[in-house]
Amino acid sequence: MKILCAGPTSISPEVLNALSKSKTNPDLDPEYQVFHRSVEKKISKLLNTEATSFFMLGEGIMGLEAAIISLVEPQDRVLVLSNGFFGAGFADYVKFAGGTPVVLEFDFRNGIDVNKLDSFLQQDSNFKLATFVHCETPSGLTNDLNEIVSVLKKYNILTIADCVSSLGGEAIDFDESGLDVLLGGSQKCLSAPVGITIVTISDRAKKVIDDRKTPVISYYMNFKNYYDFKGAPFCYTMNENLIYAMDIALEELFNRNSIELHKTYADITREIIQSAGLELYAKNCRSNTVTAVLMPNEIESESLLKLMRQKYIAISKGVGNMSEKLFRIGHMGQNISKDNFKALFKALDECFKELGVELKISLYDSFCEKIGEV
């Protein structure tokens, strides 16, 4: 099966080979701790920062909840910026921590409007922190990280961003952005196995944790246990296999000029899709890691996905109330290759024909023309 979905993404043979290695006991071997920290520092390198980065064992969404658990205390007001499925989800985590979420909603087909955000904050800025999603995978949007943080910092509001689907695929400078907490995952643009949450945290956010009036209500999801644990190298036994795989995945990413590669394939995909007469879901701020497309002729997306699976290609459908109205292509991580995308567009041509959809152009022929293989 060729993986062209919005994650988890394809994994290279070299990364899979690294995953199979078992070399030591990570609890007892001091050399493992040095190696582990060196891999975490590669995340900081990717983000152009010296700020602390660390790994947690668990799928990336765990980091979203852990950030709230670590930083929010009972009665804290949290501004939840929502222009997509995952943005809205932060409100639940705030409630779990005893905080009070205030959801500011934006149109799901457009990037977060910073003018609307600023106008709202002029009337009410009494928030400890704000959350938002950098890349909303369900809708194919990438919000403007720097602009959003810049507005929030004017009001001295701590910032948390879900970058699970943008880390490694969109240009991010942690220091330049002024972000306080960046949350990532292993299984999207990094093309490492599922199971690692990635966190990069500012000194400002660390101080907020230090200055809490109440204890963090979790051991496992307490950020401080990952960057300042006493008495042992780690707060629990780390999975050395996943870290070996992550190390190779990051080296592959650095060697591929990843940011430019994601942008190139995103531009080509969007241009071809629109030339064929299909409509992109995102009207602006379109993502360089995933493209969401409205299904034509009121056909349900599962009809397309089923035909694609029969041709051994996996793409994604929509999420939530858009589940059967969209299909999504993940041009992210190791999904990106000429052969994968030739197979993708050839299969889409065939499947749309089987569904009775007449495209204005051949997706396959147009892609081959774009990459010079006509």
Side-chain angles (χ1 to χ4, degrees), residues 204-336:
R204 181 186 180 209
K206 288 182 181 180
K207 187 174 188 307
V208 170
I209 295 173
D210 286 340
D211 292 345
R212 287 179 62 109
K213 296 180 179 67
T214 59
V216 177
I217 60 173
S218 170
Y219 174 88
Y220 199 92
M221 292 195 284
N222 183 347
F223 277 177
K224 192 168 184 178
N225 284 340
Y226 293 83
Y227 61 78
D228 191 25
F229 192 70
K230 309 297 185 186
F234 307 103
C235 59
Y236 52 73
T237 301
M238 283 293 166
N239 185 321
E240 59 171 321
N241 315 79
L242 283 173
I243 306 305
Y244 298 145
M246 173 65 81
D247 185 45
I248 299 301
L250 285 168
E251 287 304 311
E252 290 181 344
L253 181 145
F254 290 135
N255 291 333
R256 291 183 88 198
N257 191 8
S258 178
I259 305 303
E260 185 59 34
L261 189 64
H262 280 79
K263 184 179 186 307
T264 297
Y265 272 74
D267 288 343
I268 291 173
T269 298
R270 289 192 291 259
E271 184 177 346
I272 290 172
I273 289 291
Q274 291 182 101
S275 295
L278 298 170
E279 182 182 355
L280 302 178
Y281 183 68
K283 294 182 177 179
N284 55 40
C285 297
R286 290 165 178 154
S287 170
N288 286 333
T289 66
V290 57
T291 292
V293 186
L294 286 163
M295 286 296 299
N297 304 348
E298 298 185 350
I299 297 169
E300 291 192 346
S301 58
E302 182 56 32
S303 301
L304 174 62
L305 266 64
K306 181 179 179 180
L307 291 175
M308 292 291 284
R309 288 194 298 270
Q310 291 172 1
K311 300 178 188 299
Y312 302 101
I313 293 177
I315 58 174
S316 299
K317 60 165 62 177
V319 176
N321 65 353
M322 298 301 292
S323 174
E324 294 299 335
K325 298 177 181 179
L326 299 174
F327 73 92
R328 295 179 296 143
I329 297 168
H331 30 78
M332 54 171 66
Q334 293 289 339
N335 289 4
I336 299 174

Side-chain angles (χ1 to χ4, degrees), residues 42-108:
K42 290 181 180 180
I43 297 296
S44 296
K45 174 186 174 182
L46 176 61
L47 296 171
N48 301 297
T49 185
E50 295 295 323
T52 300
S53 296
F54 59 85
F55 298 135
M56 305 172 72
L57 291 183
E59 197 273 340
I61 205 165
M62 184 181 74
L64 279 60
E65 185 171 357
I68 299 301
I69 294 296
S70 296
L71 288 159
V72 174
E73 298 187 69
Q75 311 308 317
D76 282 343
R77 297 181 79 230
V78 177
L79 180 60
V80 176
L81 307 183
S82 170
N83 69 327
F85 181 85
F86 288 108
F90 269 108
D92 289 331
Y93 310 139
V94 174
K95 292 175 187 175
F96 297 158
T100 302
V102 176
V103 180
L104 180 59
E105 294 188 346
F106 300 85
D107 187 89
F108 277 29

